[in-house]
Amino acid sequence: MAAIPHPNSPPAESVYLLTTLAPWAAAFGARRCAGDDLLDELAAFGMPAVIVDAESGARTGWLELARSARSWSVRLPAPGAPDGLPPGPAAHAAGVVGEALVVDTGAAPLLVIPQRDPDRATGWIAHRPGGPVPPPAEMGLGEARLSLLDAIGGATAVLTGLPGASDGDAATLRAELAAQVSRFLPVLPPGAHARAAEVASLAAQVLATGALATARRASFGLAGAHSQEPDRRLAEVAAAARAALAASVNRVIDEYTRHAV
């Protein structure tokens, strides 16, 4: 029987699966939640509970990996911004999907990447980077929050400056924005670091505002046309929000790992 997701499970169309799943895996590894909770989150995304090694084809269960992992860190790379991942096929694969989980099991590090190609079955692929992976960039929660407050202003300015935005249907805009937020917002385990959760929520709002502005610009045929300044601002907003989101989620993971029961 398929697992029944709990009421707070993330939507299957979430942009970043690992910002939800990695904290739940860390919480399970720290004995702060049950294995069924992690499996429920995987089921909510329609993702399998096993990870396939890209080289050998060997299969490892998420529960097994969570028990053996010494540390975890989420990376949210983008073209030209590898988020600390060393160059190579593994980093390229992570950049294509926009997310990766660096796992230290005491041997060679693993890079776990979701496979979400619509023409292929969904799955998890474990790559070996072929070298050491530096720790994630340090960003305090206070610094992350300040960067997000600045970024939300930039994204909102682009969104409200679009043709028809000021006199459009406010209810429609709010609904579209709420739908976008749900795609970026991690669903964190009970007891997650409260301030980190707050920063993650703010990062989701920033990413959602930028995504909606980008989509609306494209629908108006404005992307890349005339001035490129809005596109540049939205790219900067997205980069700042990704960095803050990764930092906040990694703080949640670190807190579970350091305070394992």
Side-chain angles (χ1 to χ4, degrees):
M1 180 181 296
I4 301 175
H6 65 69
N8 294 324
S9 290
E13 67 274 14
S14 291
V15 175
Y16 300 125
L17 308 184
L18 290 168
T19 58
T20 288
L21 293 173
W24 281 95
F28 170 69
R31 300 183 181 180
R32 300 288 294 276
C33 75
D36 283 347
D37 294 325
L38 173 56
L39 296 178
D40 284 349
E41 298 305 322
L42 287 160
F45 284 127
M47 296 295 287
V50 296
I51 301 163
V52 180
D53 189 284
E55 297 179 3
S56 67
R59 296 161 65 88
T60 303
W62 265 95
L63 299 183
E64 178 185 349
L65 184 65
R67 291 190 187 98
S68 62
R70 295 184 178 183
S71 67
W72 315 73
S73 68
V74 170
R75 310 297 173 93
L76 302 178
D83 200 1
L85 299 178
H92 175 73
V96 169
V97 298
E99 59 179 329
L101 180 64
V102 179
V103 186
D104 175 14
T105 61
L110 294 178
L111 212 60
V112 178
I113 301 171
Q115 181 172 278
R116 304 174 74 182
D117 187 332
D119 296 326
R120 304 171 67 180
T122 58
W124 299 99
I125 308 298
H127 297 261
R128 301 186 186 279
V133 180
E138 292 188 10
M139 176 184 288
L141 295 178
E143 177 188 356
R145 188 173 186 278
L146 286 175
S147 72
L148 290 170
L149 291 176
D150 182 61
I152 190 67
T156 302
V158 174
L159 179 60
T160 56
L162 291 173
S166 60
D167 57 355
D169 187 343
T172 298
L173 183 61
R174 286 196 298 270
E176 290 180 1
L177 185 57
Q180 287 287 349
V181 170
S182 72
R183 298 176 64 236
F184 290 100
L185 184 65
V187 175
L188 301 175
H193 190 281
R195 194 170 181 210
E198 178 188 358
V199 172
S201 178
L202 182 56
Q205 294 177 48
V206 175
L207 286 164
T209 304
L212 183 56
T214 298
R216 287 201 162 201
R217 276 176 56 76
S219 69
F220 282 117
L222 299 175
H226 307 299
S227 172
Q228 295 184 348
E229 179 64 14
D231 290 334
R232 182 189 66 79
R233 292 173 67 187
L234 289 174
E236 291 177 349
V237 162
R242 284 196 309 272
L245 178 59
S248 60
V249 168
N250 286 332
R251 178 63 179 272
V252 170
I253 293 170
D254 183 61
E255 288 292 314
Y256 280 124
T257 303
R258 291 194 296 113
H259 298 103
V261 176

